[in-house]
Amino acid sequence: MASIHKLLIGTYIHRNFLRPRAAVPPFVGNHFVDYSSSSLQKQVASANKVSQQGKTEEGLQGHDHKEVALDVPSPDRTPEVSFDKAIRDEAMEHFRRLKDEIVAHVRGPDGRPLHEVIMEQARVVWQFREKEDLDKWILTSDKTIGGRSEIFLKMSKNNRSALLYGTLSSEAPQDGESNQSGYCAMISRIPRGAFERKLSYDWSQFNTLYLRVRGDGRPWMVNIKQDTEFIQRKNQMYSYFMFTRGGPYWQEVKIPFSKFFFSNQGRIRDVQGPLILDKISSIGFTLSDKVDGPFFLEIDFIGVFTDPAHTEEFAYENSPDLNPRLFK
Amino acid sequence: MSWVQVNLLARGLSRGWGSICRTVLSGTPFAQPSLQARGLHCSAVTHKDDVWLVPRPSEPQKKPIKVPAMHEDLFRPSGNGEQDKASFLNAVRSFGEHNVRKRGHVDFIYLALRKMPEFGVERDLSVYNLLLDVFPKEVFRPRNAIQRIFVHYPRQQECGVAVLEQMERHGVMPNTETEFLLIQVFGHKSYPMLKFLRMKLWFTRFKNINPYPVPRDLPQDPLDLAKLGLRHMEPDLSAKVTVYQMSLPSESTGIEDPTQPHIVGIQSPDQQAALARHNPSRPVFVEGPFPLWLRNKCVYYHILRADLPPPEEETVEEIPEEWNLYYPMQLDLEYSRSAWDNYEFDMDEVTEGPVFAMCMTGAHDQATLVKWIQGLQETNPTLAQIPVVFRLARSTGELLATTRLEGQSPPHSPPKGPEEDDEAIQAQQRQGQS
């Protein structure tokens, strides 16, 4: 009876480990204006997208599947011992992470001394120097919903920057309800702590996003998602454009956080407010400019910094025609 | 007698459903007129749904089948077979003349929206206003609060939103006439009016946010397109665009001269100085072709670059002697940045070899690029002593297909050179820049 219980627990953990959670749905399309009669269709499409992206993530984790399969011994040899060992190792790993987090918390915010954090003016959030840095990102395109776009991510030839490349195709999938399609997106994973707790970035003391990129002249969308516990908010994000110049020179893109506008499911909302920077969960890049063909984008690093010359709080004031209740 | 019955039924339909019932119930007892009455009754029932959407009189069932074909006929090319704005306007006007009551206007407007790219009027605001003018006026405006709460005439409002959506997709800014037409057709609080307000608000905000603007209509001449692309890529405004070779069309009647492609290059004074200081014992590389997208057209360029010099060769430039005591050549100030004043990222940025020049050519073979190098030697004499290595990527089928789709001349396969056999370099170059 006890061994059966252990088997069940082991199986549950095994299944949980093998199947990661669904990816965050990306920003779809550059539509700017909302229309409520089409929201039902978009929600249905979004639901399909979420489920299929889960499958895609399983595909993305195929390598982990193989590793796990190799690590798991054959069922002929003492499965109870292997399950116990796996459970114990996993628990010890999580407790070790918890200990590291507690020690870092005692030392200061983010594990650094307080005076260093207070006087910090620039911070590198994402960099691409090893292959492990690429695992922090999720790739998705409309191939998951039946389109023909594809996107890949790898290290550049010099092994010091990330190369995002693929093909964009605006051919709509033949599912009977989509008449526009064509997007490629790269989203950062939500940072996780001990026991798979959700963490977030705190960028309260900075006011500008900095990207060092090299592109091919195509415009991209930069999307920032906040950390929120509500299911209804999972499609809300703040977006802005990143225009790449093209050519062999590196380009420094500086986007103030005041320029990001609030959008939901790819539509700009009527009520706009500034981006709150204390709980940022992920950042994403979306290409959907309705131009079919190959694309590439090289990314050196992504950071945030304080621009003392930029004092704007929010760039988009609300309109009394669209939001009369805000002006009563 | 039957004519009188039909007339009575028609008047009953025009009044309302109750009148229709009373007229049918009070029909004559004759067998044949009774059958006719029942037939007309079924016809009325068939058209019941239309009454709620479109306020139009009853019609026989055959008519709606012909409406799409009739609308398609309006957009057939005319006698001269030309498809331009005049023929499009003529088609829209023909619909107005053909249908004084605007029957089937929603289908016609959807069809016109699909036909716009064929006639080349998808970025013309007056054409969109003309399409909005096709809607009957004052019919779809809500007259009380209940009609305003529930979407009044939803199919027509969706069609209006579709027109505005296509305007938005092609970047057409609506004007006062559009607003007036929307108010006349749908009213102030309708969904097309809301979308119009949103377009007016956000188009003005996003109109000038591109720091590297590309003109709406790209030049058709490959030479002008190459100049535009090079100027778009070069961040130094003092760089100079040089045309090394014009493209000559092959004349079938004249001597059998080979067609020579155009060669356009760009180089800045700083790049010239850097190339002059380059060590002649280290080679420079011609790499490419790399893609550059200009709105929806892909052009390819090549670069002349070198590897990073070794750390010991990085000689610091010597400061010349002091020639004036009032303007010192060097200052040794003790100012330094502290922790609160450090805006630099704690990061080793990716540094690559210097790029000395860029060019766009009509062909991507080595012979053409050799001509570019020879042209560069006129303004860079030291280039004659520096060995030039060509690292040209072999074109793939996908690249060829894309190039043909975009209307570019396909790149020819380069002849074999000393560096050509390096497959790994080519594979990586094919996918991205070095």
Side-chain angles (χ1 to χ4, degrees):
Chain A
M1 187 62 67
S3 67
I4 292 173
H5 183 63
K6 285 178 180 178
L7 275 173
L8 288 179
I9 292 175
T11 307
Y12 172 74
I13 289 182
H14 194 70
R15 194 186 307 118
N16 216 16
F17 181 74
L18 283 180
R19 191 175 287 181
R21 303 186 189 182
V24 179
F27 188 98
V28 179
N30 277 332
H31 309 285
F32 296 155
V33 188
D34 182 43
Y35 181 58
S36 67
S37 85
S38 61
S39 62
L40 180 61
Q41 293 182 8
K42 287 195 184 292
Q43 282 174 13
V44 170
S46 178
N48 289 335
K49 211 176 302 166
V50 169
S51 62
Q52 295 190 32
Q53 274 164 16
K55 298 172 188 174
T56 305
E57 182 147 13
E58 287 182 14
L60 286 174
Q61 298 289 327
H63 191 59
D64 289 350
H65 272 255
K66 293 178 182 177
E67 287 181 346
V68 170
L70 290 177
D71 288 343
V72 171
S74 61
D76 299 335
R77 316 176 188 174
T78 64
E80 296 85 0
V81 175
S82 67
F83 281 137
D84 289 346
K85 185 172 181 300
I87 292 166
R88 197 179 308 110
D89 288 353
E90 191 79 15
M92 286 175 60
E93 172 63 28
H94 280 295
F95 276 115
R96 191 178 305 114
R97 283 195 216 166
L98 185 62
K99 176 182 71 65
D100 293 341
E101 284 180 18
I102 292 173
V103 169
H105 187 69
V106 167
R107 190 181 302 133
D110 292 334
R112 294 180 295 160
L114 186 64
H115 70 272
E116 183 181 318
V117 171
I118 285 178
M119 289 194 290
E120 186 183 29
Q121 303 290 340
R123 181 195 297 178
V124 176
V125 187
W126 289 280
Q127 55 178 344
F128 302 94
R129 294 293 186 264
E130 290 104 20
K131 276 200 175 300
E132 288 78 32
D133 294 322
L134 303 185
D135 296 336
K136 300 175 182 174
W137 298 85
I138 298 167
L139 300 175
T140 179
S141 68
D142 68 342
K143 180 177 278 189
T144 59
I145 57 173
R148 292 171 176 270
S149 309
E150 49 189 8
I151 183 169
F152 309 98
L153 178 66
K154 65 165 191 172
M155 298 298 291
S156 282
K157 193 178 79 170
N158 52 11
N159 268 334
R160 286 171 63 85
S161 59
L163 178 63
L164 186 66
Y165 66 102
T167 305
L168 185 73
S169 170
S170 59
E171 180 179 343
Q174 309 291 327
D175 55 359
E177 63 186 7
S178 303
N179 58 352
Q180 289 192 60
S181 191
Y183 74 88
C184 295
M186 175 174 98
I187 310 162
S188 69
R189 293 181 190 271
I190 300 173
R192 298 281 174 175
F195 301 103
E196 295 296 322
R197 290 183 300 107
K198 263 205 297 183
L199 301 180
S200 57
Y201 304 100
D202 186 355
W203 297 341
S204 304
Q205 65 205 79
F206 309 105
N207 66 354
T208 306
L209 185 72
Y210 180 95
L211 307 111
R212 193 162 189 265
V213 296
R214 178 163 68 181
D216 57 353
R218 286 201 191 231
W220 288 75
M221 293 287 301
V222 180
N223 313 311
I224 292 180
K225 286 180 84 74
Q226 292 171 304
D227 188 12
T228 173
E229 303 292 338
F230 306 110
I231 297 175
Q232 287 82 11
R233 289 195 183 182
K234 65 185 182 186
N235 289 318
Q236 297 182 356
M237 59 182 68
Y238 286 78
S239 312
Y240 199 67
F241 312 97
M242 176 178 72
F243 296 93
T244 58
R245 182 176 216 146
Y249 308 107
W250 284 93
Q251 178 188 351
E252 299 183 352
V253 182
K254 300 174 182 175
I255 308 177
F257 289 124
S258 62
K259 299 293 185 185
F260 283 84
F261 50 86
F262 185 48
S263 61
N264 186 12
Q265 287 187 4
R267 298 285 187 176
I268 304 180
R269 307 307 300 175
D270 289 340
V271 181
Q272 289 287 323
L275 168 63
I276 300 174
L277 292 156
D278 59 339
K279 285 174 91 72
I280 301 295
S281 72
S282 68
I283 195 174
F285 302 93
T286 303
L287 177 73
S288 61
D289 55 348
K290 298 297 171 190
V291 173
D292 296 358
F295 66 88
F296 76 89
L297 179 75
E298 251 180 295
I299 307 177
D300 184 358
F301 67 92
I302 301 167
V304 288
F305 77 102
T306 304
D307 189 357
H310 189 81
T311 56
E312 187 183 40
E313 290 187 6
F314 193 52
Y316 313 105
E317 69 275 4
N318 287 288
S319 166
D321 295 323
L322 289 169
N323 306 299
R325 267 182 282 181
L326 295 183
F327 294 86
K328 280 183 179 175
Chain B
M1 197 60 184
S2 64
W3 179 85
V4 172
Q5 282 289 339
V6 168
N7 200 11
L8 284 175
L9 279 176
R11 266 189 278 150
L13 280 174
S14 66
R15 283 181 194 143
W17 183 241
S19 300
I20 292 171
C21 289
R22 258 187 285 106
T23 307
V24 169
L25 288 178
S26 67
T28 53
F30 296 109
Q32 191 171 2
S34 175
L35 285 179
Q36 282 184 8
R38 262 184 269 129
L40 288 173
H41 182 81
C42 294
S43 175
V45 169
T46 304
H47 287 276
K48 179 196 169 189
D49 289 334
D50 290 338
V51 173
W52 289 101
L53 298 178
V54 181
R56 54 189 181 181
S58 71
E59 52 183 344
Q61 275 182 335
K62 300 175 184 177
K63 203 69 176 282
I65 300 172
K66 293 182 178 177
V67 168
M70 195 171 59
H71 289 168
E72 285 278 351
D73 285 341
L74 292 177
F75 287 102
R76 294 263 170 86
S78 51
N80 52 12
E82 208 166 317
Q83 287 187 330
D84 53 354
K85 180 177 175 180
S87 51
F88 193 89
L89 299 184
N90 196 23
V92 177
R93 231 174 273 116
S94 300
F95 174 78
E97 294 164 1
H98 209 286
N99 263 317
V100 291
R101 289 191 178 84
K102 309 287 179 66
R103 197 174 297 141
H105 59 275
V106 169
D107 298 315
F108 175 77
I109 291 173
Y110 278 126
L111 177 68
L113 288 179
R114 284 196 301 271
K115 293 290 182 178
M116 270 178 155
E118 294 182 25
F119 286 77
V121 292
E122 71 269 10
R123 292 208 304 254
D124 200 325
L125 176 58
S126 58
V127 174
Y128 287 103
N129 286 341
L130 194 64
L131 279 188
L132 288 174
D133 202 20
V134 171
F135 284 105
K137 306 298 182 297
E138 305 292 334
V139 179
F140 312 132
R141 295 182 62 151
R143 285 171 172 80
N144 47 51
I146 296 176
Q147 288 178 351
R148 196 176 305 117
I149 286 171
F150 302 97
V151 187
H152 200 43
Y153 289 99
R155 298 292 171 262
Q156 281 73 17
Q157 292 206 31
E158 279 180 17
C159 189
V161 171
V163 175
L164 294 172
E165 186 94 16
Q166 182 147 322
M167 288 174 73
E168 174 191 335
R169 201 180 312 141
H170 289 104
V172 183
M173 177 66 175
N175 61 354
T176 313
E177 187 185 349
T178 314
E179 180 178 8
F180 181 70
L181 285 166
L182 289 172
I183 291 174
Q184 242 192 333
V185 175
F186 297 108
H188 281 273
K189 298 293 183 182
S190 59
Y191 285 103
M193 198 60 199
L194 271 180
K195 186 169 176 65
F196 168 82
L197 291 173
R198 288 164 181 148
M199 282 172 69
K200 206 169 59 168
L201 183 66
W202 292 98
F203 266 30
T204 50
R205 286 172 171 171
F206 296 147
K207 192 161 53 177
N208 297 310
I209 63 171
N210 192 347
Y212 318 110
V214 181
R216 168 66 68 178
D217 294 314
L218 296 172
Q220 297 299 315
D221 187 17
L223 198 65
D224 297 333
L225 190 64
K227 289 177 185 175
L228 176 73
L230 290 172
R231 180 60 60 189
H232 184 264
M233 286 190 294
E234 179 63 54
D236 198 338
L237 291 182
S238 60
K240 187 183 165 191
V241 179
T242 310
V243 181
Y244 297 104
Q245 185 173 270
M246 306 285 294
S247 63
L248 289 183
S250 63
E251 302 173 357
S252 57
T253 57
I255 309 174
E256 286 285 341
D257 271 340
T259 302
Q260 58 177 24
H262 67 274
I263 305 174
V264 189
I266 191 169
Q267 199 183 27
S268 65
D270 294 338
Q271 288 171 328
Q272 280 187 19
L275 187 53
R277 287 194 307 264
H278 186 66
N279 190 355
S281 62
R282 312 186 61 82
V284 292
F285 308 98
V286 175
E287 295 181 352
F290 300 114
L292 168 73
W293 286 94
L294 294 171
R295 204 165 284 278
N296 63 344
K297 186 178 272 285
C298 186
V299 293
Y300 295 90
Y301 65 94
H302 294 79
I303 60 173
L304 177 75
R305 61 176 286 271
D307 284 336
L308 271 173
E312 60 267 15
E313 284 197 11
E314 290 183 357
T315 56
V316 183
E317 189 172 0
E318 297 182 3
I319 303 174
E321 295 283 342
E322 296 278 347
W323 57 271
N324 196 325
L325 290 179
Y326 297 98
Y327 306 99
M329 302 296 292
Q330 187 177 358
L331 284 176
D332 291 326
L333 302 180
E334 292 299 324
Y335 300 156
S336 63
R337 293 199 159 193
S338 187
W340 66 83
D341 206 20
N342 186 13
Y343 295 99
E344 305 291 329
F345 285 95
D346 186 12
M347 193 73 181
D348 294 332
E349 293 185 348
V350 171
T351 52
E352 293 163 346
V355 175
F356 296 128
M358 292 188 289
C359 84
M360 286 189 184
T361 59
H364 305 281
D365 55 332
Q366 187 166 327
T368 307
L369 294 169
V370 164
K371 289 179 181 176
W372 172 50
I373 296 297
Q374 290 168 3
L376 264 180
Q377 288 172 8
E378 298 176 7
T379 51
N380 302 274
T382 57
L383 194 54
Q385 297 124 36
I386 302 175
V388 180
V389 180
F390 290 85
R391 291 178 177 170
L392 304 180
R394 190 176 296 125
S395 59
T396 58
E398 186 186 8
L399 197 66
L400 273 170
T402 305
T403 309
R404 281 202 209 98
L405 284 178
E406 297 294 334
Q408 287 283 312
S409 62
H412 309 290
S413 58
K416 279 205 169 184
E419 295 286 336
E420 196 68 27
D421 301 325
D422 203 336
E423 290 287 342
I425 292 180
Q426 288 167 29
Q428 291 184 37
Q429 279 174 1
R430 230 178 282 143
Q431 286 155 351
Q433 294 191 52
S434 61

